[in-house]
Structures are given as C-alpha cells and as structure tokens.
C-alpha cells in the first residue's frame, strides 16, 4: 500500500531509540526525509548511522537538542525551518510516590513531555497551514487514562497533551492539516526491556514472568496481555502521518491493547 508520503519531511522528537526510532525507520522506508533527535551527539550520530544501514537510500539527519533546555530548542529551529510531519514523541517519566515527588520533577516532565509539543507546534503549525498540508501527532500514553499512583505527574502531562492536541486541531479547520493523538499502551522499547530484565534479576525470575505478572496485577484491563512491539505502535503512527488518514482530525487513536478500557 502506498502511503503517498514520498518527498515529505518529518521531525520526531526523542527518536534515537524506542517508538521514535521505529517510526523513523518506517517513514524512511516510505521515502520520507527524517530528522531524528536526542540529547547527545553520540546517540544521534549512532541512530542516524544505524538507520542508514537498515534502510537503503535513507535520507536521515540528526538534530541534537535537549527539550529541557530552551536555548537548545531555539537552536533547533534555526537548523530546521519547515516540516510536513511533526511527531511529538519525546517523553520522560519517574516511578515515585506522589508525596515525595519534588517540584523539579513536575517541572522537568511538563517541560519535556508537554512544552516541547507547545514550542514545536507554535513554530511549525503556521507553516503547515500556509502550505495547506501537514500532520502533527502527539504521542500520549495509556497512563493519561489509568493514572497509576506511582506515575501521577507523568500521567497529568499526557492528559494535558490531549487538550493541547484537540485545541490545535481546531486551528486547522477547513485545511488539509491534521492534529491527532496516539495512545500507546505498555510498549517494548529499550527502557521497557531494561525494566523487565532488572526486575527479573531482582526477583530471581525471568523477564517473561515479570511481564505476565505485570498484566495480571497492574494492567488488568489489557486485552493484549503483553507489551506491544515498537513496530505495532509505529505502524499506527505512520498511518496517521499518511494521506490515507485525511478524514481523521482532532482524534485520539488508541494502540494500547485495550488497557485503558471504556467505550470512548
Ligand atoms: N514505552 C512505553 O511503554 C510507552 C507507553 C506509553 C507511552 N509511551 C510514550 O511514547 C514515547 C516514546 O517512548 P519510548 O519508550 O519509545 O522512549 P525511550 O525508548 O525511552 O526513548 C527515549 C528517547 O527520548 C530521548 N530523550 C529523552 N529525554 C530527552 C530530552 N530531554 N530531549 C530530547 N530527547 C530526549 C532519548 O534520546 P537520547 O537518550 O539520545 O537523548 C531517546 O531517543 C514517550 O512519549 C512515552 O511517554 C511509551
């Protein structure tokens, strides 16, 4: 199936690994010029080289910028003036008690998870509207719905993202620009793999056993009852990037294996 994306240009925040990296690879395969991002030149160069090796003829570039550093974000804009596709993917979280979460952790998570999308959209959305084509995609989380008690701060950043995404979609009325939110469930990114193997070592068991008990005890509504692969999430993202999704705007697209439950 041709997603009709050849020649488009995409920027994906926080994409040297995980869902962002997998999405970059799929977009490159579709002939999109992709700008990936991370905090250090080492990780960015490695990711660019890996993608060049994995996808023949990949037009891939790297931009180093820490979304917790406003000067670095400003510098990013001077290096990349226009994009057709903006994927607000960067996200950080801490698992900690609400009562012990310092203000700085709240600020960091809002700055990286939420304000990154505000700043990138303020810069790129007007240009998309001028061109009358564009895609902005926010990567939320099942936590926006589940609000695990050890991730209240993270969950609120993702819930706020839904209002931002819907509000921006309203600014696209009558155009061929769309703004949508994707809701991944637990996904086997590098971070999740580390979480499973560290917990397995700690409990003297296997990562598979940790995964099974996670779904039995913590993600009880999951219908999938396993972590999604990064490719399962990325394939939904690239559909929303494509022209095939042109009637989907201001929407929330769940790839959470049913974990958030409900009928909406
Ligand atoms: N994995 C899951 O289970 C899951 C579930 C639901 C939602 N999500 C959401 O999906 C998105 C991607 O998650 P993931 O698990 O794929 O991520 P990940 O594997 O943890 O990757 C994190 C990426 O973000 C970059 N990064 C971290 N802090 C950054 C910052 N301040 N500025 C710029 N880049 C930064 C890292 O790059 P460097 O290390 O190179 O800086 C890396 O490329 C996030 O928004 C997350 O909240 C994930």
């Amino acid at each position: 199936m041709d997603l009709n994306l050849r020649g488009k240009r995409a920027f994906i925040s926080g994409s040297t690994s995980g869902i962002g990296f997998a999405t970059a690879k799929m977009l490159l395969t579709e002939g999109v010029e992709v700008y990936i991002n991370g905090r250090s030149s080492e990780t960015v160069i490695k990711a660019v080289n890996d993608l060049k090796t994995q996808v023949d003829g990949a037009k891939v570039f790297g931009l180093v910028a820490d979304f917790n550093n406003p000067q670095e974000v400003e510098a990013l804009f001077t290096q990349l003036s226009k994009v057709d596709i903006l994927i607000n993917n960067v996200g950080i979280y801490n698992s900690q008690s609400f009562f012990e979460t310092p203000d700085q952790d709240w600020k960091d998570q809002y700055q990286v998870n939420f304000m990154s999308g505000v700043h990138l959209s303020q810069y790129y959305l007007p240009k998309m509207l001028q061109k009358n084509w564009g895609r902005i995609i926010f990567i939320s989380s099942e936590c926006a719905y589940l609000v695990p008690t050890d991730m209240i701060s993270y969950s609120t950043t993702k819930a706020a993202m839904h209002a931002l995404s819907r509000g921006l979609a309203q600014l696209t009325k009558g155009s061929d620009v769309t703004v949508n939110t994707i809701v991944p469930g637990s996904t086997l990114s590098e971070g999740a793999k580390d979480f499973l193997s560290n917990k397995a070592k700690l409990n003297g068991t296997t990562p598979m056993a940790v995964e099974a008990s996670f779904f039995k005890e913590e993600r009880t509504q999951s219908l999938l009852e396993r972590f999604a692969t990064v490719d399962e999430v990325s394939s939904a993202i690239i559909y929303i990037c494509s022209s095939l999704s042109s009637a989907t705007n201001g929407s929330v697209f769940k790839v959470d294996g049913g974990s958030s439950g409900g009928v909406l």
Side-chain angles (χ1 to χ4, degrees):
M1 189 184 290
D2 184 4
L3 295 181
N4 202 13
L5 283 170
R6 195 156 291 280
K8 304 277 189 212
R9 178 189 283 175
F11 174 77
I12 311 172
S13 63
S15 45
T16 60
S17 66
I19 295 168
F21 183 88
T23 304
K25 188 173 165 188
M26 283 192 190
L27 288 175
L28 288 165
T29 307
E30 292 295 322
V32 176
E33 177 182 306
V34 178
Y35 287 75
I36 61 150
N37 158 254
R39 289 159 296 182
S40 76
S41 49
E42 291 75 26
T43 53
V44 169
I45 290 168
K46 182 181 183 311
V48 167
N49 289 338
D50 287 351
L51 287 165
K52 280 186 176 158
T53 311
Q54 291 171 30
V55 183
D56 273 353
K59 281 192 186 164
V60 56
F61 306 92
L63 290 172
V64 178
D66 181 341
F67 278 95
N68 211 2
N69 181 328
Q71 284 82 35
E72 290 187 19
V73 178
E74 272 306 309
L76 185 152
F77 294 139
T78 64
Q79 295 170 75
L80 184 63
S81 64
K82 280 186 189 172
V83 295
D84 302 295
I85 299 166
L86 165 63
I87 304 179
N88 291 305
N89 172 71
V90 67
I92 56 169
Y93 72 92
N94 285 334
S95 167
Q96 58 193 343
S97 154
F98 169 75
F99 300 105
E100 284 155 22
T101 306
D103 281 6
Q104 194 57 49
D105 286 18
W106 281 88
K107 285 179 190 160
D108 290 346
Q109 288 178 60
Y110 266 90
Q111 193 66 26
V112 175
N113 300 2
F114 181 75
M115 290 308 296
S116 60
V118 171
H119 292 139
L120 287 163
S121 304
Q122 273 174 337
Y123 191 76
Y124 293 118
L125 177 56
K127 295 168 189 228
M128 290 178 186
L129 290 170
Q130 208 169 20
K131 195 174 173 185
N132 195 30
W133 198 93
R135 296 283 182 268
I136 297 183
I137 296 166
F138 286 89
I139 309 302
S140 174
S141 167
E142 62 187 355
C143 292
Y145 297 83
L146 300 173
V147 197
T149 54
D150 64 332
M151 294 208 283
I152 292 177
S153 51
Y154 170 76
S155 304
T156 68
T157 67
K158 296 297 188 180
M161 180 183 264
H162 285 238
L164 172 62
S165 178
R166 176 67 206 185
L168 296 185
Q170 281 157 208
L171 296 175
T172 68
K173 202 167 183 175
S175 78
D176 288 336
V177 179
T178 67
V179 185
N180 291 291
T181 303
I182 303 263
V183 181
S186 302
T187 306
L188 210 48
S189 61
E190 283 74 359
K193 282 181 196 162
D194 289 347
F195 163 81
L196 291 175
S197 56
N198 290 341
K199 204 161 177 183
K201 267 187 211 146
L202 208 70
N203 298 351
T205 179
T206 63
M208 267 173 70
V210 175
E211 184 176 2
S213 89
F214 178 74
F215 286 98
K216 203 164 173 218
E217 283 153 32
E218 295 181 47
R219 293 293 182 273
T220 51
Q221 292 194 96
S222 173
L223 308 175
L224 192 63
E225 294 192 318
R226 63 167 171 81
F227 278 66
T229 65
V230 287
D231 286 348
E232 284 174 314
V233 176
S234 300
S235 50
I237 298 173
I238 65 156
Y239 164 70
I240 293 293
C241 288
S242 77
S243 295
L244 302 180
S245 71
S246 46
T248 303
N249 196 6
S251 282
V252 175
F253 197 98
K254 291 185 183 178
V255 197
D256 66 354
S259 67
S260 62
V263 290
L264 292 174

